[in-house]
Amino acid sequence: MKSVIVKAPLRCELIDVPIPEPGPDEVLVRVVCCASNPRDWKAPDHLLPGVEINQGNEMSGFVESVGRNVFEFRKGDRVAAAHPMQTANGTYAEFATAPANTCFLLPPQISFEEGCTIPFAGCTAALGLYQRLKIPFPTSPDNAALQPPLIVYGGSSALGCFTLKLAKLGRFKKVIAVCGSGRAYVESLGVVTHFVDYRKGNVVDDLKAALDGEKCFHAVDAINDGKSWRQLSEILELDGSISVYLPRLDYSSIPSSIYVGITFFGTVHGQPTPGWDRRCEEDVDFAYVLFRLFGKWLSEGKMSGHPYTVLPNGLASVEDGLRQLKEGLVSARKLIYRVADTPGL
């Protein structure tokens, strides 16, 4: 089968490899669509230099086979799934594996294109909101209680948008989104009460104006550019919490009284968070429950995928997609690839 290896400096190589076998708790998926995330170029570029593997983590397609411990899925099922980071058999390929706890059935009305935009960003957003910030989960009785204001920095990113979609399942006094050119889509979600445009250069003052005297204890930093979390720390109460998403960064500029919840997608697959001594073993079962709810919420119209652009030439376009992400040319959209569009397949 064909598989894409991502290298540094950024370049991709389409190679031939054997079709993988699923592990005991895995499904093997015949990939129809796969999606790119910013980490896919950042990992070989500077996060884990020298590691050259298939960096894909999101996919949709048909179950081809299942491991001996898997009982919920069977050959031919339409699914979307997340592949463990930095492991073999990634999703930029004709076939890829995924643990059953991060796989869900696609409702009939949801396309493969939409489905593959959900697993990685949707799960990471949920980890940040519920597991790190301790916002009541939608199934909790406490979810009916009115929550203090929530700030989402980077509201038009995939991670930010899924955080806002999940916030719509709860109740907040205010939901404040910091974003720029992607505002139109964010506004269409119908949950944001106040917008702050970071391009105006007055983020802290504008956030204070949006809060209008309300205390804020919870913030999601979906950008993690250094400036973003410093600005949020000026707004949060001293006993507040902030969810961040790049574990290898130095967050020492955030006051020590503010809880910094490092949200690392790998914890749902039992991977330790780099540079953080906290064990998050509960995230494995959390993901199992969440992914079953993703299918239910999609079927009920409570959840939707992210806007996307399909690049031509399937797997042969992965390098172009990652380059667009690296150069900051993508806003409020996911880049996806239809495997069948790959020349020569």
Side-chain angles (χ1 to χ4, degrees):
M1 70 168 192
K2 297 294 185 183
S3 176
V4 175
I5 303 301
V6 184
K7 302 181 177 183
L10 181 56
R11 64 195 190 281
C12 293
E13 183 180 356
L14 191 60
I15 64 173
D16 289 298
V17 298
I19 296 175
E21 293 287 336
D25 301 301
E26 293 182 327
V27 297
L28 175 67
V29 177
R30 176 160 57 87
V31 183
V32 174
C33 294
C34 50
S36 283
N37 292 286
R39 68 154 303 280
D40 299 351
W41 70 262
K42 291 178 181 178
D45 185 76
H46 59 271
L47 296 179
L48 294 165
V51 178
E52 299 181 347
I53 61 172
N54 184 323
Q55 291 286 350
N57 297 117
E58 283 185 299
M59 63 180 163
S60 60
F62 297 99
V63 172
E64 182 70 15
S65 61
V66 302
R68 65 175 182 270
N69 296 334
V70 177
F71 58 89
E72 296 175 276
F73 303 101
R74 63 188 66 187
K75 182 178 173 66
D77 282 345
R78 298 175 72 250
V79 296
H83 174 81
M85 295 187 297
Q86 297 303 127
T87 62
N89 310 324
T91 63
Y92 296 141
E94 294 182 74
F95 294 88
T97 57
N101 77 313
T102 53
C103 181
F104 67 92
L105 294 171
L106 281 178
Q109 74 273 25
I110 304 298
S111 69
F112 287 117
E113 289 79 3
E114 180 179 1
C116 81
T117 69
I118 298 167
F120 189 85
C123 182
T124 306
L127 284 172
L129 201 61
Y130 304 123
Q131 298 292 87
R132 303 298 178 265
L133 297 186
K134 307 302 181 185
I135 301 298
F137 195 67
T139 60
S140 168
D142 294 334
N143 189 53
L146 187 63
Q147 302 296 316
L150 172 70
I151 299 174
V152 179
Y153 202 124
S156 63
S157 67
L159 185 55
C161 283
F162 277 108
T163 300
L164 293 170
K165 291 175 182 181
L166 292 169
K168 195 171 182 179
L169 301 178
R171 296 182 64 214
F172 293 89
K173 288 183 179 179
K174 295 178 178 179
V175 177
I176 304 169
V178 180
C179 61
S181 60
R183 173 171 173 166
Y185 176 68
V186 175
E187 199 164 2
S188 74
L189 299 179
V191 64
V192 176
T193 58
H194 298 78
F195 286 89
V196 170
D197 190 334
Y198 68 89
R199 297 172 299 182
K200 296 180 178 180
N202 304 306
V203 171
V204 173
D205 288 340
D206 290 346
L207 283 173
K208 289 179 178 178
L211 287 169
D212 192 24
E214 292 274 3
K215 292 183 177 182
C216 184
F217 297 91
H218 299 124
V220 169
D221 185 354
I223 298 299
N224 282 202
D225 65 357
K227 181 188 295 184
S228 54
W229 70 72
R230 285 192 294 271
Q231 291 171 333
L232 288 172
S233 66
E234 292 185 47
I235 299 300
L236 286 171
E237 294 298 306
L238 289 179
D239 56 346
S241 300
I242 180 173
S243 179
V244 296
Y245 296 89
L246 292 178
R248 294 175 178 85
L249 300 186
D250 180 5
Y251 297 105
S252 60
S253 61
I254 300 175
S256 59
S257 63
I258 293 177
Y259 172 73
V260 180
I262 300 177
T263 306
F264 178 63
F265 176 80
T267 58
V268 303
H269 293 136
Q271 298 172 341
T273 302
W276 206 30
D277 58 4
R278 180 182 168 189
R279 302 293 298 177
C280 300
E281 297 171 351
E282 66 278 3
D283 289 350
V284 176
D285 283 349
F286 171 81
Y288 179 94
V289 173
L290 178 73
F291 272 68
R292 274 76 197 145
L293 283 171
F294 275 162
K296 183 176 187 292
W297 289 341
L298 284 165
S299 69
E300 296 171 345
K302 295 179 179 178
M303 177 62 68
S304 62
H306 198 62
Y308 58 84
T309 296
V310 179
L311 296 189
N313 301 320
L315 298 175
S317 291
V318 172
E319 180 175 321
D320 177 46
L322 296 183
R323 196 170 303 281
Q324 290 186 44
L325 289 172
K326 183 175 183 177
E327 294 175 0
L329 302 177
V330 183
S331 177
R333 305 194 74 76
K334 290 278 278 190
L335 300 182
I336 66 174
Y337 319 90
R338 297 188 185 106
V339 173
D341 293 341
T342 307
L345 291 187

